[in-house]
Amino acid sequence: MEKTNYGLKELIISLLYYEKSYSIADLSLLIGKSIPSTTKIINELADYNLIIEDGLAPSTGGRRPIKYTINSNLNKFILSVAIDQHYSTAVIYDLSNEERTPVFTIENHLDNHDEVFDNIVGLMEKTLQHGEFNQSNILGIGISMPGFVDNKQGTNGSYKDKNTKLYYIKREIENRFQLPTFIENDSTAIAIAEQNFGKARNTSHSLVINIGWGVGLGIIVDNKLFRGYSGYAGEFSHIPLSDSNKLCSCGKKGCLEVEASLSAAVEFAEEKLQSGEKSKLANHLTNDRLESSNSLIQSALNGDQLAISALTKSGYMLGKGVATLIHIMNPEKIILSGRGSQAGQILMPQIQTAINEFCIPRIAQKTSVEISDLKNKAQLIGSACIVLEYSLSKFVNLN
């Protein structure tokens, strides 16, 4: 993600946050300063108890160097909020990205403008009340959500009525909680998490696909997030690859998401059940989208033929989209992330089939497709990363 203009202390804290621990020699190389200069900074951070020793690095001959890590017992935390089209989730992390509260999830449909903001506030209040968290020990609030999010202005342009609290969500949340608040698009937050903690680490060119109720995309080029001219690059859901007459959530026909998303897979299974097809899914598909999608994925992993059929259909369409991305972007890696990545082993063969069918082999062979190992936590982790990035100056000046 974009780095603010860090001082050396902030840069070291950032490196330790993402990598957990480093020796002084390693940090010296990474920040481009001599070992004596780096040692001085490390000693200052340690004197303020911001970092602590973390054992010894492996021996390379001679004395084993001491490693350092962020002091997770500083009583400083991040409130992370992940919002999708139908559910909102919140948790409080410490500075080692360890959960300090349960992960709370509520059903919260974004098209219900009258209630959705108050529901988000209620969820955040519930999370904060689950421990001794207050304005003095919360560094900030990170919120990621779908839509045309302007992370600099703190707005979500998907809400055309500027009087709605969701349009100025950063301002409204800051006013309510009196805490620094930072917002980001959901797929971009997932890409940030994958870039720093997941399968996109150490990869300069990668694409992170957010498989959920739609199909989002985070783009990493030359180790940096690519946002496009207006900041809205990555609207993968709306590539016109579908022959279906179903209307997309954007109001148009032909969009990828009407056949390649979790919603599409659940709808396909429901249609087959209504036409008389037999499946154990008949007892598990409900009006609760989260329960239905989880049941679909688990049933597929347990061998249910209808569930497998629904996901493989979505996987093939997703693969057509992936083939398009490979031709345009020529990435080193494509990572399947988000809620639907749990079905990765079902989706992957069909994605590969589509790649083989539609891609020029010479290009496709240079790209690996991998399944995220961050499970359902990628968006929450990405939301926390946003807070840390923009709170570093405040953090290193705690004392």
Side-chain angles (χ1 to χ4, degrees):
M1 66 183 295
E2 300 92 343
K3 304 293 184 183
T4 53
N5 293 321
Y6 294 165
L8 291 176
K9 290 181 182 178
E10 288 94 334
L11 180 56
I12 286 175
I13 291 295
S14 176
L15 290 167
L16 293 177
Y17 176 75
Y18 291 120
E19 198 62 36
K20 298 301 183 185
S21 65
Y22 275 119
S23 68
I24 289 177
D26 290 334
L27 289 168
S28 173
L29 289 173
L30 290 167
I31 68 174
K33 294 295 180 180
S34 67
I35 287 181
S37 295
T38 305
T39 300
K40 179 181 178 182
I41 298 170
I42 289 294
N43 288 339
E44 290 176 0
L45 292 171
D47 287 344
Y48 287 124
N49 209 31
L50 298 179
I51 64 173
I52 56 175
E53 293 183 4
D54 188 39
L56 300 176
S59 176
T60 56
R63 182 180 298 176
R64 295 168 63 191
I66 297 171
K67 296 191 297 181
Y68 291 87
T69 190
I70 293 176
N71 183 1
S72 61
N73 295 318
L74 277 173
N75 198 35
K76 292 294 176 181
F77 307 96
I78 293 170
L79 173 55
S80 178
V81 182
I83 300 168
D84 66 27
Q85 289 89 336
H86 303 293
Y87 295 88
S88 297
T89 302
V91 70
I92 289 178
Y93 287 115
D94 64 20
L95 296 180
S96 295
N97 268 341
E98 298 294 330
E99 296 167 4
R100 289 302 187 97
T101 67
V103 177
F104 296 104
T105 299
I106 60 169
E107 190 169 0
N108 193 29
H109 303 285
L110 292 188
D111 55 2
N112 189 350
H113 296 181
D114 292 336
E115 298 179 5
V116 63
F117 180 82
D118 290 338
N119 290 342
I120 293 169
V121 168
L123 172 67
M124 295 167 65
E125 289 174 342
K126 177 181 179 180
T127 307
L128 289 166
Q129 291 166 3
H130 203 79
E132 296 182 1
F133 303 110
N134 51 53
Q135 292 177 11
S136 66
N137 60 20
I138 296 290
L139 278 178
I141 300 169
I143 300 174
S144 55
M145 64 190 305
F148 297 120
V149 174
D150 187 325
N151 68 323
K152 294 180 180 178
Q153 297 297 321
T155 59
N156 189 334
S158 295
Y159 301 95
K160 296 179 181 179
D161 181 1
K162 295 186 179 182
N163 291 318
T164 179
K165 293 178 179 178
L166 291 174
Y167 181 88
Y168 288 111
I169 185 168
K170 169 183 165 67
R171 182 187 71 189
E172 294 294 334
I173 292 294
E174 283 185 332
N175 288 342
R176 183 68 64 97
F177 290 93
Q178 296 300 302
L179 285 168
T181 300
F182 310 93
I183 70 167
E184 188 56 88
N185 172 267
D186 58 341
S187 296
T188 301
I190 288 172
I192 290 169
E194 294 290 348
Q195 181 184 22
N196 291 293
F197 294 106
K199 290 295 182 70
R201 293 184 78 186
N202 305 315
T203 303
S204 60
H205 293 74
S206 58
L207 303 176
V208 180
I209 298 177
N210 172 20
I211 306 171
W213 313 119
V215 188
L217 180 67
I219 304 170
I220 300 167
V221 178
D222 287 334
N223 293 309
K224 298 178 182 178
L225 281 173
F226 177 78
R227 296 180 181 272
Y229 174 70
S230 300
Y232 304 135
E235 286 297 325
F236 187 43
S237 270
H238 306 295
I239 294 178
L241 289 176
S242 172
D243 294 326
S244 171
N245 284 322
K246 290 183 178 179
L247 279 178
C248 177
S249 59
C250 71
K252 298 184 182 296
K253 294 180 180 179
C255 293
L256 182 67
E257 79 168 46
V258 301
E259 291 193 77
S261 62
L262 277 182
S263 296
V266 171
E267 288 172 9
F268 176 84
E270 289 172 338
E271 290 168 2
K272 289 296 183 181
L273 288 170
Q274 290 169 7
S275 68
E277 189 160 336
K278 303 299 181 183
S279 167
K280 291 182 179 179
L281 272 176
N283 300 320
H284 298 289
L285 297 186
T286 68
N287 291 329
D288 186 319
R289 290 174 184 257
L290 185 58
E291 181 181 334
S292 294
S293 65
N294 288 341
S295 295
L296 179 75
I297 293 171
Q298 193 56 53
S299 295
L301 294 174
N302 290 337
D304 184 272
Q305 294 301 300
L306 175 57
I308 292 171
S309 177
L311 287 169
T312 54
K313 182 176 185 295
S314 291
Y316 182 76
M317 285 302 300
L318 185 60
K320 289 180 71 174
V322 168
T324 302
L325 293 176
I326 289 173
H327 282 139
I328 295 172
M329 298 298 297
N330 187 28
E332 179 183 351
K333 282 186 181 181
I334 293 178
I335 296 99
L336 308 181
S337 191
R339 191 182 299 280
S341 63
Q342 297 174 88
Q345 70 184 70
I346 305 292
L347 298 170
M348 189 69 82
Q350 295 302 312
I351 292 173
Q352 192 60 57
T353 295
I355 291 172
N356 293 340
E357 185 175 348
F358 297 108
C359 264
I360 297 171
R362 184 173 182 176
I363 300 175
Q365 289 166 3
K366 298 294 185 180
T367 299
S368 64
V369 182
E370 302 182 11
I371 303 168
S372 171
D373 53 12
L374 296 180
K375 304 185 186 300
N376 282 337
K377 302 296 179 66
Q379 190 177 342
L380 282 171
I381 293 170
S383 299
C385 290
I386 297 161
V387 177
L388 192 282
E389 289 289 344
Y390 292 106
S391 300
L392 281 171
S393 178
K394 175 181 176 181
F395 178 75
V396 298
N397 290 294
L398 290 177
N399 296 336

